[in-house]
Amino acid sequence: MKYCLQGDWALLHRLCGELELAEVTSRESVLTNTHETHTGLYREKHLVSFFGDGYIHLRTVESLVQSSVHVRFRTAAPTGLVFVAAGHSDFLLLELVSGRLQGGRASLQPKHIKPRLCHGHLRLDLLPGSDQFSDGSQDRDLSFSMVDLWQGRVMYVHGGSEEPGDFFMFSVFSSGKRELPVFLKGNRLHRFDISISPVNDAPVLSLPEGNLFTLLENSKRQLSSEVLRVSDPDTTPEDLLFNSLADIRTEAGFLEHQDYPHRPADNIFSLQDLESDKIWFVHSGIPNSRLPLRVSDGEKFSNTVTLRITAVPLEYKLVNNSGLEAGQGRWAILSTNQLAVQINVAAPGLDVRYDVTEPPLYGVVQRLHSSGEWKPATSFSQKLLERERVRYLNTYVGVQSQSDATEQFTCRVYVGERVIDDVIVPIAIRWIQFKVTRSKMELNGVQEAVITPENLQAISKVLQTIPKKGQLHFDDKILIINSTFSQKNITDGLIKYKLLNKVQEDTRDAFSFQLFAPQAASTSYDFRISARAESNAVTVQNKGLSILEGASKVITQDVLFTYTASNREVEYKVVTPPKNGYLRRINLSNSTSINDNILTFTNEDITRERIMYVHDDGETKQDYFTFLATVKSQKHAGKKQEPEEQRFNISVQLVNDQKPVRVVDKVFHVARDGQRLVTVEDLRFRDDDSDFEDSWLVYTRRGIPMGELVLASDPSHKVYEFTQRDLEQKKVLFVHRGVSSGRFVLFVTDGKHYVSTLLEVLAQDPYLRVENNTGLLVRRGSVSVLTCANLSVSTNMDVRNPEELHFDVFAPPDRGLLHFIDKDFEPVTEADAVRSFTQRDLADGRLAYRHDGGSEVSDVFNVTARAAERTASAVRREARVDVGVTVKVYLESHQRAPSVHTLRSVTVEEGGEVSVGRQSLESCSSHRLIPHSAYLERRERIHSVSMWDCLHLVSPCSD
């Protein structure tokens, strides 16, 4: 025979039975959860709560054989449906853990519930005297047999709580073949009660805030549970008694009971007195002493603690007295930010108190009571100031004649019962002073006008008199005497003045009003109205426009508007349209016309912000257009004035909208394992923004597989970022290492836009190549300068200056002489012949060729170009190349302008063509035909017929 614990199951059945008795309406009680939280039924301290997302039906079924509870529910969760059942003094948390209960209808069985004891657990020792046991505190069923009971293996382990009892429910079953008695058959549940005998524990006394107890000399301080803390769950507070192990009444002071003030109390008091804040320590002796205390519950004593009592002299300081600021009829909170006294001891029950000895003249000091009502106060504490429960209320009614009148009140400051000082609290009052800053308006040729803040600026107003020649309207209602309106009504444009009749000449009108506020009212003020007869005066406001490059902007009436006396319609006619943009009309959804490049618009278009200037995104800094402003005439208008042409200037602020563009894109040549400067002749970008210099462009590089970029002045310093100005100033040096060819990425930015490019590098053996060799053209017997345009070489070596490129003349000219130009113009002889020169001489134009005047028309000379560099290993590398330079000699007559020798008209059929030969056109120079003359057409043909009289002849020898 075995016993199976089913405590939760039995308790659930018992509580549901009680719930059913409370709900006597039927045998079925229904609880519905529709808000996905829980819905509970409260009746006679019984509670059944359900947690889920559906509804649950709870029903109790009783029979002769067994009792069970059926639960019908709907839920989306397969497990974890939780509900709580509670009775008079018991509660139990039941958790449904079986997944098969999901949806539909099912019976709640014991295996679906985790059994839990309330105040302990059962333990089954498998082998007595050993550590092997089965603990019933685990979430599983605990079964034991009669043999276990006989051998004393089943024990109850109490959890240590103060509850006087516990119980568990069990059922009996047998696995044998013998039939059980009738009272043991079925799934009947039995209850086993457990009585717990309490054990008296000694109290525990502690000092949460430490053992130092500080107070002012000759004062008292409250002892509270924050100073002395007692822990004893077995005993009530009134039965726990404190007693002192020493008598300090003659040394430092004494303990005082609140119910018996000014009388030393016995050294015994209860915890209930301490928690009720009735125990005080009164200092009256030496500054330092000790107070040993312990607690007794009647049987046992606690540990002993000792309070070190230190009495210090009072030190205080007025840390804040900045005063208040309040408006007339207003209030201001008085807090520790405005008034505060700091003392050297922060002890509970020791507060700073302020007694008002001289109240304020124009107001009252108030305190906020627990009822939520502010009432006059003659004293207040610093704690009330910290909680902002004290305020000053100004009650003065009327206009203060003295604008500088001051307000104050005086307080006497107490710390405990000791007076420390008198404090004057100043109060700055913002007195109501009525002032009308504007009180007039003008009507120029109109019958009505809205009174705006520019005409009348004041607070709330009441009419004293009304105008005689017109009427005041408030939102289409006529104002009469004693009518009121506010400044907000004026700001909202609700106050309007209307003339009763059209004026033929200038006239005046007026009305009077009074200003008022909740606490004061002013004297009467007059509002003057000047009504002018209609005139033809026109004023054009033309301030110009400022716009960003490529943007568009509305032309508002702040920059362009024409003011007329009667607000007549004005039309603008564009005479000269903008050159770098156009005018556009917007917000015309019902129109199908093209609204760009408009030439006319009106004042109404400007008022409704329909006219827009659109810039063409060019790099121009200004634009303009001219216009005529025409005012439409009226019947009784005077002499019509002709409009003047106006110019509307547009200032364009350039923006950085152009990306850098590469303009030099070629292979960078360098000597193998050598170095060479990177200049703008190898790499250069251009930025088309007109306000941006190309030299400001910034280059950024990453890794280079075939070398490094370094500073030319310090090759050990690698360069990862440089500007185009650095390239122009030849500060960047490329050092080759590794493969002979490759590319690396460069990022170029102007500060806003980023572009990437590839610089291709080709490393070869050192070379010297001819870059230019055009030859030389010289007139017979004269001199011609030889420059780099005629002769130059390039190299892939580290040659940084033109002086390092040398030219050696190994075959001088036969018909002339190479020499340097003499600035003194002295005669040149054979001794002045040049045998060597540099590319710097060619760049500076210092080398010249002088023809000897012979009849030969050609000459030639040969040079050897050479260059050298010194590498890091101090080995000198050189390159050479031989160059032959030809010289062509022409006669003086070859420079004369050619003339047309033959010029005849040609005839061609419509749509046909004809050849122009020597019979029709031929030129000559100095009576000689020019076989290689060039003809340039200077005027376009009309109807495809060439105008031969406009041809310009060019001789091949002409300059």
Side-chain angles (χ1 to χ4, degrees):
M1 181 178 295
K2 288 189 177 181
Y3 300 86
C4 181
L5 289 181
Q6 298 180 3
D8 297 349
W9 166 249
L11 181 59
L12 175 65
H13 168 258
R14 179 172 63 83
L15 293 177
C16 290
E18 293 177 0
L19 178 64
E20 180 191 5
L21 294 177
E23 289 288 324
V24 294
T25 55
S26 66
R27 299 287 294 176
E28 178 173 338
S29 301
V30 178
L31 296 176
T32 304
N33 178 8
T34 58
H35 299 287
E36 298 189 2
T37 54
H38 71 275
T39 301
L41 172 65
Y42 294 85
R43 186 67 61 88
E44 297 181 1
K45 296 186 179 180
H46 304 298
L47 170 66
V48 179
S49 298
F50 299 93
F51 298 82
D53 59 353
Y55 62 84
I56 298 175
H57 289 236
L58 180 64
R59 185 176 62 184
T60 302
V61 179
E62 295 182 357
S63 65
L64 296 176
V65 180
Q66 62 179 358
S67 299
S68 61
V69 175
H70 292 268
V71 177
R72 187 178 67 185
F73 60 92
R74 289 181 183 175
T75 177
T79 60
L81 181 64
V82 179
F83 60 92
V84 176
H88 289 281
S89 60
D90 305 301
F91 71 92
L92 192 62
L93 175 65
L94 306 179
E95 182 177 0
L96 307 186
V97 297
S98 176
R100 79 178 190 86
L101 292 180
Q102 179 182 5
R105 181 188 297 269
S107 297
L108 183 63
Q109 301 296 331
K111 61 183 177 180
H112 302 145
I113 303 175
K114 296 179 181 180
R116 299 171 187 169
L117 285 167
C118 295
H119 310 302
H121 62 274
L122 291 180
R123 175 172 172 176
L124 177 61
D125 288 339
L126 301 179
L127 293 176
S130 68
D131 295 334
Q132 298 184 14
F133 61 89
S134 177
D135 197 347
S137 63
Q138 301 176 1
D139 291 339
R140 61 185 180 183
D141 293 340
L142 179 62
S143 298
F144 52 89
S145 66
M146 289 294 298
V147 177
D148 296 328
L149 290 174
W150 292 335
Q151 295 181 357
R153 295 179 180 175
V154 182
M155 67 174 59
Y156 170 78
V157 181
H158 186 241
S161 66
E162 298 296 329
E163 295 296 331
D166 201 356
F167 72 95
F168 64 88
M169 304 300 296
F170 64 94
S171 63
V172 182
F173 66 95
S174 175
S175 59
K177 297 181 179 180
R178 293 184 59 183
E179 186 177 358
L180 292 175
V182 177
F183 66 89
L184 293 180
K185 288 184 178 180
N187 194 16
R188 291 186 177 274
L189 299 176
H190 307 274
R191 173 171 172 148
F192 185 84
D193 292 313
I194 302 172
S195 297
I196 301 173
S197 300
V199 176
N200 184 25
D201 299 323
V204 178
L205 180 59
S206 62
L207 302 174
E209 295 182 349
N211 64 343
L212 182 63
F213 187 78
T214 306
L215 75 165
L216 293 176
E217 288 182 348
N218 301 319
S219 67
K220 64 180 181 179
R221 179 181 171 184
Q222 189 180 75
L223 289 174
S224 65
S225 57
E226 298 298 328
V227 178
L228 300 171
R229 182 171 297 174
V230 180
S231 175
D232 188 358
D234 301 332
T235 312
T236 59
E238 57 267 20
D239 295 332
L240 288 172
L241 299 179
F242 285 85
N243 58 2
S244 174
L245 301 181
D247 186 5
I248 63 170
R249 284 180 294 178
T250 60
E251 295 181 356
F254 57 90
L255 294 174
E256 180 185 82
H257 197 285
Q258 182 175 326
D259 296 340
Y260 309 100
H262 309 294
R263 186 174 66 183
D266 295 332
N267 288 343
I268 298 177
F269 55 91
S270 68
L271 177 61
Q272 185 177 13
D273 294 334
L274 184 72
E275 292 177 345
S276 300
D277 298 332
K278 292 184 177 181
I279 306 301
W280 296 74
F281 180 83
V282 181
H283 178 258
S284 59
I286 61 177
N288 297 309
S289 60
R290 296 176 180 270
L291 178 61
L293 294 171
R294 67 180 180 179
V295 182
S296 172
D297 61 0
E299 296 181 5
K300 295 183 179 181
F301 287 96
S302 71
N303 56 308
T304 302
V305 298
T306 301
L307 276 179
R308 293 175 52 209
I309 299 175
T310 301
V312 296
L314 174 63
E315 295 180 5
Y316 68 92
K317 180 182 179 182
L318 184 64
V319 293
N320 280 332
N321 189 18
S322 60
L324 291 174
E325 182 178 353
Q328 182 177 346
R330 304 287 184 177
W331 53 265
I333 294 293
L334 182 63
S335 67
T336 52
N337 294 329
Q338 292 82 30
L339 179 62
V341 173
Q342 182 179 355
I343 58 177
N344 58 329
V345 177
L350 183 64
D351 196 10
V352 179
R353 190 179 80 253
Y354 303 84
D355 289 351
V356 180
T357 57
E358 294 182 13
L361 296 176
Y362 306 109
V364 63
V365 178
Q366 293 181 330
R367 170 186 165 187
L368 180 62
H369 290 257
S370 58
S371 61
E373 183 181 359
W374 290 92
K375 295 181 180 180
T378 58
S379 65
F380 51 87
S381 66
Q382 189 148 302
K383 288 185 178 179
L384 294 177
L385 295 179
E386 294 173 355
R387 298 171 184 173
E388 298 185 351
R389 300 173 68 91
V390 181
R391 75 177 184 180
Y392 165 81
L393 174 64
N394 182 270
T395 58
Y396 185 81
V397 178
V399 177
Q400 179 61 255
S401 57
Q402 299 177 356
S403 59
D404 57 346
T406 59
E407 173 75 309
Q408 65 183 29
F409 66 91
T410 304
C411 295
R412 180 159 293 169
V413 185
Y414 292 83
V415 176
E417 300 299 327
R418 187 181 305 179
V419 179
I420 61 173
D421 203 355
D422 288 339
V423 176
I424 298 177
V425 181
I427 305 173
I429 305 297
R430 298 187 300 273
W431 300 108
I432 295 176
Q433 299 294 330
F434 295 106
K435 182 179 180 181
V436 179
T437 56
R438 289 182 289 273
S439 180
K440 64 179 180 179
M441 70 178 300
E442 292 185 1
L443 278 71
N444 293 317
V446 294
Q447 289 296 110
E448 61 183 51
V450 174
I451 299 178
T452 65
E454 297 180 357
N455 309 127
L456 180 58
Q457 184 73 37
I459 56 176
S460 300
K461 312 157 190 73
V462 58
L463 282 179
Q464 300 293 313
T465 63
I466 60 175
K468 299 179 179 179
K469 300 178 182 180
Q471 293 176 333
L472 287 177
H473 291 256
F474 177 20
D475 199 13
D476 296 333
K477 293 181 180 180
I478 299 176
L479 297 179
I480 60 176
I481 295 177
N482 293 329
S483 296
T484 60
F485 56 93
S486 65
Q487 185 65 35
K488 185 177 185 303
N489 301 142
I490 295 177
T491 304
D492 295 341
L494 301 178
I495 308 301
K496 184 183 296 185
Y497 172 81
K498 290 185 180 181
L499 285 169
L500 296 176
N501 301 302
K502 185 175 182 179
V503 295
Q504 301 299 327
E505 59 182 10
D506 296 349
T507 185
R508 294 183 179 181
D509 200 359
F511 64 88
S512 61
F513 60 92
Q514 185 183 25
L515 307 179
F516 66 92
Q519 298 294 118
S522 71
T523 58
S524 295
Y525 292 91
D526 291 332
F527 185 84
R528 299 182 301 276
I529 303 171
S530 298
R532 299 181 181 276
E534 186 177 351
S535 66
N536 296 325
V538 177
T539 302
V540 179
Q541 178 174 273
N542 183 2
K543 295 184 179 180
L545 188 68
S546 179
I547 192 173
L548 293 176
E549 174 191 348
S552 57
K553 194 172 185 180
V554 174
I555 299 176
T556 64
Q557 65 183 62
D558 295 333
V559 297
L560 177 62
F561 198 75
T562 301
Y563 294 93
T564 62
S566 304
N567 292 330
R568 288 179 287 172
E569 186 177 351
V570 179
E571 183 181 58
Y572 301 84
K573 182 179 180 181
V574 179
V575 180
T576 304
K579 296 181 180 179
N580 304 311
Y582 57 88
L583 296 177
R584 170 186 291 172
R585 181 179 285 109
I586 58 177
N587 292 337
L588 292 179
S589 57
N590 298 328
S591 175
T592 58
S593 60
I594 299 176
N595 297 317
D596 291 344
N597 297 311
I598 62 171
L599 298 177
T600 59
F601 54 93
T602 63
N603 254 3
E604 183 180 2
D605 294 333
I606 296 177
T607 304
R608 298 188 178 183
E609 297 185 352
R610 293 177 176 176
I611 306 303
M612 175 185 291
Y613 170 78
V614 182
H615 189 245
D616 62 0
D617 202 17
E619 296 297 323
T620 54
K621 294 185 177 181
Q622 60 184 3
D623 200 0
Y624 72 93
F625 64 89
T626 61
F627 62 90
L628 296 174
T630 305
V631 181
K632 291 193 175 181
S633 61
Q634 295 183 342
K635 292 182 178 180
H636 301 286
K639 182 179 179 181
K640 185 176 181 181
Q641 298 180 356
E642 292 295 332
E644 295 183 1
E645 186 173 339
Q646 305 272 346
R647 172 171 172 150
F648 186 78
N649 292 317
I650 302 168
S651 175
V652 181
Q653 182 180 351
L654 300 179
V655 297
N656 187 359
D657 59 347
Q658 300 291 334
K659 294 182 179 180
V661 179
R662 187 169 182 176
V663 293
V664 175
D665 187 1
K666 61 182 182 180
V667 178
F668 180 75
H669 293 274
V670 64
R672 185 175 287 108
D673 297 326
Q675 60 187 21
R676 181 168 166 255
L677 289 173
V678 182
T679 66
V680 290
E681 296 177 357
D682 308 300
L683 175 65
R684 186 163 66 89
F685 274 76
R686 181 186 74 244
D687 193 301
D688 292 332
D689 289 314
S690 60
D691 58 343
F692 189 87
E693 297 291 339
D694 294 343
S695 59
W696 298 343
L697 292 173
V698 178
Y699 295 78
T700 305
R701 61 98 170 177
R702 298 292 186 265
I704 302 177
M706 71 294 295
E708 283 292 346
L709 288 177
V710 298
L711 283 177
S713 58
D714 183 9
S716 63
H717 183 81
K718 296 181 181 180
V719 176
Y720 292 91
E721 184 177 280
F722 54 91
T723 64
Q724 190 151 299
R725 186 181 298 276
D726 296 333
L727 298 180
E728 294 171 355
Q729 297 177 355
K730 299 181 179 180
K731 294 182 178 180
V732 182
L733 182 68
F734 179 84
V735 179
H736 175 256
R737 284 193 299 268
V739 296
S740 299
S741 62
R743 297 180 297 180
F744 63 91
V745 179
L746 285 170
F747 296 95
V748 187
T749 180
D750 58 1
K752 179 180 179 181
H753 304 285
Y754 284 84
V755 296
S756 61
T757 187
L758 292 174
L759 182 62
E760 186 174 354
V761 179
L762 180 60
Q764 298 172 302
D765 293 333
Y767 67 76
L768 197 63
R769 294 177 180 174
V770 178
E771 188 174 18
N772 287 324
N773 187 11
T774 63
L776 193 64
L777 184 65
V778 60
R779 194 177 64 186
R780 185 175 64 181
S782 64
V783 178
S784 181
V785 178
L786 194 66
T787 65
C788 287
N790 306 113
L791 176 62
S792 65
V793 293
S794 62
T795 180
N796 63 350
M797 296 186 298
D798 186 17
V799 176
R800 305 187 183 185
N801 297 308
E803 292 89 344
E804 299 178 26
L805 294 174
H806 296 272
F807 296 87
D808 298 327
V809 182
F810 67 88
D814 296 332
R815 308 291 188 267
L817 181 69
L818 284 176
H819 65 90
F820 289 117
I821 296 177
D822 188 2
K823 295 184 179 179
D824 298 331
F825 302 102
E826 294 182 359
V828 179
T829 63
E830 290 291 338
D832 297 324
V834 172
R835 298 303 177 186
S836 66
F837 54 91
T838 66
Q839 193 151 307
R840 171 65 70 185
D841 298 329
L842 295 174
D844 295 342
R846 295 200 299 252
L847 187 66
Y849 170 84
R850 178 181 294 275
H851 188 251
D852 59 4
S855 59
E856 296 295 331
V857 295
S858 64
D859 198 359
V860 65
F861 62 90
N862 295 283
V863 297
T864 298
R866 56 184 174 84
E869 69 171 0
R870 185 172 296 277
T871 63
S873 58
V875 177
R876 190 176 181 85
R877 299 196 297 184
E878 293 185 349
R880 297 172 178 268
V881 62
D882 294 336
V883 185
V885 182
T886 59
V887 180
K888 292 184 179 180
V889 182
Y890 64 91
L891 302 178
E892 183 179 359
S893 60
H894 292 167
Q895 287 295 96
R896 296 174 182 172
S899 59
V900 179
H901 182 259
T902 303
L903 180 60
R904 296 188 178 93
S905 301
V906 294
T907 303
V908 60
E909 294 182 358
E910 183 179 355
E913 61 181 24
V914 65
S915 298
V916 179
R918 286 188 174 183
Q919 298 79 9
S920 304
L921 178 63
E922 191 174 26
S923 62
C924 65
S925 177
S926 301
H927 305 288
R928 295 186 301 109
L929 297 181
I930 306 175
H932 301 293
S933 295
Y935 298 85
L936 302 178
E937 189 173 2
R938 301 296 298 274
R939 188 187 301 174
E940 294 182 359
R941 295 185 295 273
I942 303 175
H943 306 301
S944 298
V945 178
S946 295
M947 306 301 292
W948 300 115
D949 57 335
C950 295
L951 287 177
H952 178 64
L953 304 181
V954 181
S955 172
C957 295
S958 174
D959 291 336

